[in-house]
Amino acid sequence: NAGVTQTPKFRILKIGQSMTLQCTQDMNHNYMYWYRQDPGMGLKLIYYSVGAGITDKGEVPNGYNVSRSTTEDFPLRLELAAPSQTSVYFCATGGGRGSPLHFGNGTRLTVT
Amino acid sequence: GIQVEQSPPDLILQEGANSTLRCNFSDSVNNLQWFHQNPWGQLINLFYIPSGTKQNGRLSATTVATERYSLLYISSSQTTDSGVYFCAVHGQLIWGAGTKLIIKP
């Protein structure tokens, strides 16, 4: 039982490149989330999903896209990477309101 | 939107000391969780506590929803308690900036 698995752990992108951050959970949770954490700050919600086929924007969605074709997977796509997207990205899953969130170990992304 | 403020921003204690971390929020919330981020960056959920009091070992939390604050208590601190403690509230979670706790041996 791995919980929430994020890949890659680290990545360096050049400005304008694209990439997909992968997130997979084996907890059978409906809710999945993508957050970003800038240095010295709390997390900010990028996108979330309440089930397969359903996604919604969070606080900071610009420059990102998501899809949720299965319960297990919730990839985050960065198009045309910008230096402002340098951050640590966390994927999380939960059973809904009242359930604790379970986090992956994060992806540290640098855009230069 | 809802504002979340945590205090103190930094706290340095000797091993064995007790501490109280505070989270103030600006409006009614339907969700409040406390998290610990260890020095390696891993995030662990400590409590789901939109109201009332909960305890788990040396940690306990109290939320007074009518007065819009929550407290996290850590007793008999250990060096492994070091890290950043976050409060996050409402819906899909709005996060405070955290309290950085350093426990010295």
Side-chain angles (χ1 to χ4, degrees), chain A residues 38-66:
Chain A
D38 298 327
M41 305 289 286
L43 279 64
K44 291 189 176 181
L45 182 64
I46 305 171
Y47 271 95
Y48 67 100
S49 169
V50 301
I54 306 170
T55 62
D56 207 348
K57 295 178 180 179
E59 185 181 359
V60 289
N62 291 343
Y64 307 95
N65 277 300
V66 293

Side-chain angles (χ1 to χ4, degrees), chain B residues 56-70:
Chain B
N56 184 2
R58 296 181 297 103
L59 275 61
S60 64
T62 295
T63 298
V64 184
T66 53
E67 297 187 20
R68 300 180 186 167
Y69 72 88
S70 182

